[in-house]
Amino acid sequence: MQNSVQKKKAERNTEELMLWEVVTPEKKAVTTDKVKEQRRKARRRRVYLYRTLAFSVLIIFLIFVYIITGVIYRGLHKQKKVTETGTAIPVMNVGAANIGSRSGVEKPDILTDLLEINDYSRPGTPLKKIKNIFVHYTANPGTTAAQNRSYFANLEETHERSASAHFIIGYEGEIIQCIPLDEQAYAVMTRNEDSISIECCYLEEDGQFTQETYDSLVQLLAWLTQEYDLESEDILRHYDCGGKRCPLYYVEHEDAWKRLIRDVETLMGAYA
């Protein structure tokens, strides 16, 4: 019985083989082409996969380089003195200021790049009196003074909100003037009509200024205070009018803010 079954199975296999060889030679060619096409597709998939992997590795490498470069840059710009409490706070180097004359604080180097008059960043409204100078921070770490000036300018097109400042200080110490000092800026909602505002760029997530920004801010504050016959107590944080946490570091570190005001007083005293 078993031999009979095996014999029939062998005969059937032989018949199928003969049928294949005799009847379908073209089918063999089609099958071969399909195999070749499948192999080509497999090769293309492998090439695509390798290219995608290589591109992903390149992107990850560039991100890593960007992060490392940022860390190194911030490290190089952290020239700070340490207070008695151990908190690193920039301290104005009065000797580095331009004390060529004792007649008054010299005007710092300022790049004038005024905004065009528009409803969203430079309204053109006269500023008839100045009672205070407000210090702000840009709230976007790593952006430059020029980039923040461009942001103010683009508000004319985007209508995103109304915002500007008379001055922007970059994290390398450069100062850009955006609004004339006889016009109002959109900076402190309830005090635009009687104040000057200074925006400060920064690198640290906690909002702390670089030494370069700090030095330029102190000199600009001292010069403005002198020019408008103000006192050091007339220098305020945005926080002091409305409670907005701006400039962040100097809201969270009262000692640092007091040190900044003392540095302004020291600089003005050096010219007295």
Side-chain angles (χ1 to χ4, degrees):
M1 180 71 176
Q2 185 175 1
N3 291 336
S4 175
V5 172
Q6 291 177 348
K7 184 177 180 181
K8 287 182 180 181
K9 187 181 293 186
E11 289 174 353
R12 188 166 55 251
N13 290 340
T14 302
E15 288 174 359
E16 288 177 355
L17 182 59
M18 291 175 64
L19 184 63
W20 170 264
E21 291 176 350
V22 174
V23 179
T24 60
E26 297 84 4
K27 192 172 182 180
K28 288 183 180 180
V30 172
T31 303
T32 302
D33 290 341
K34 286 184 177 179
V35 172
K36 291 181 178 178
E37 180 62 24
Q38 290 174 350
R39 289 176 178 173
R40 283 196 292 271
K41 288 182 178 180
R43 282 197 297 271
R44 285 197 293 268
R45 284 195 295 270
R46 285 196 297 272
V47 171
Y48 177 79
L49 179 61
Y50 294 152
R51 287 179 178 175
T52 302
L53 182 60
F55 182 76
S56 300
V57 171
L58 177 61
I59 293 297
I60 293 172
F61 175 77
L62 292 176
I63 293 173
F64 178 78
V65 170
Y66 177 80
I67 293 172
I68 293 300
T69 302
V71 171
I72 294 173
Y73 183 87
R74 289 192 292 271
L76 291 175
H77 284 74
K78 264 192 166 181
Q79 301 173 1
K80 300 178 176 79
K81 293 183 181 180
V82 179
T83 63
E84 295 77 11
T85 61
T87 304
I89 301 175
V91 178
M92 177 65 177
N93 181 3
V94 177
N98 297 318
I99 309 179
S101 169
R102 293 285 171 174
S103 60
V105 179
E106 292 188 8
K107 180 178 179 180
D109 292 332
I110 298 173
L111 172 63
T112 301
D113 190 6
L114 301 180
L115 301 168
E116 296 291 333
I117 292 181
N118 67 88
D119 292 334
Y120 291 87
S121 54
R122 184 187 168 189
T125 308
L127 180 61
K128 297 181 179 180
K129 58 181 178 179
I130 296 173
K131 295 174 60 178
N132 293 103
I133 305 169
F134 284 95
V135 177
H136 308 253
Y137 86 135
T138 58
N140 47 0
T143 56
T144 65
Q147 287 172 330
N148 282 281
R149 189 265 176 206
S150 294
Y151 172 75
F152 291 150
N154 289 336
L155 291 175
E156 181 181 5
E157 304 295 332
T158 65
H159 299 180
E160 179 183 340
R161 65 190 182 107
S162 296
S164 60
H166 292 88
F167 299 95
I168 307 172
I169 303 178
Y171 51 72
E172 292 184 347
E174 70 277 20
I175 304 173
I176 297 178
Q177 183 174 359
C178 302
I179 306 288
L181 290 172
D182 58 357
E183 291 183 20
Q184 295 182 25
Y186 285 139
V188 182
M189 186 177 297
T190 60
R191 296 294 310 281
N192 291 329
E193 72 279 0
D194 63 0
S195 64
I196 294 172
S197 280
I198 304 170
E199 286 277 0
C200 296
C201 301
Y202 63 102
L203 295 174
E204 301 296 336
E205 291 293 335
D206 62 1
Q208 189 173 12
F209 301 157
T210 64
Q211 187 68 51
E212 291 83 355
T213 302
Y214 186 90
D215 288 348
S216 293
L217 175 62
V218 169
Q219 188 169 1
L220 180 59
L221 287 171
W223 176 70
L224 289 171
T225 300
Q226 167 192 274
E227 290 298 300
Y228 292 96
D229 196 24
L230 302 174
E231 303 294 333
S232 59
E233 54 263 32
D234 297 320
I235 301 170
L236 302 175
R237 302 163 294 184
H238 191 177
Y239 171 76
D240 297 318
C241 183
K244 183 176 180 179
R245 299 182 68 75
C246 170
L248 180 63
Y249 186 83
Y250 294 94
V251 171
E252 296 182 346
H253 298 82
E254 288 284 345
D255 56 337
W257 178 251
K258 292 176 181 178
R259 174 65 64 86
L260 187 150
I261 298 302
R262 286 200 300 271
D263 283 345
V264 172
E265 294 170 343
T266 299
L267 183 58
M268 294 182 68
Y271 288 92

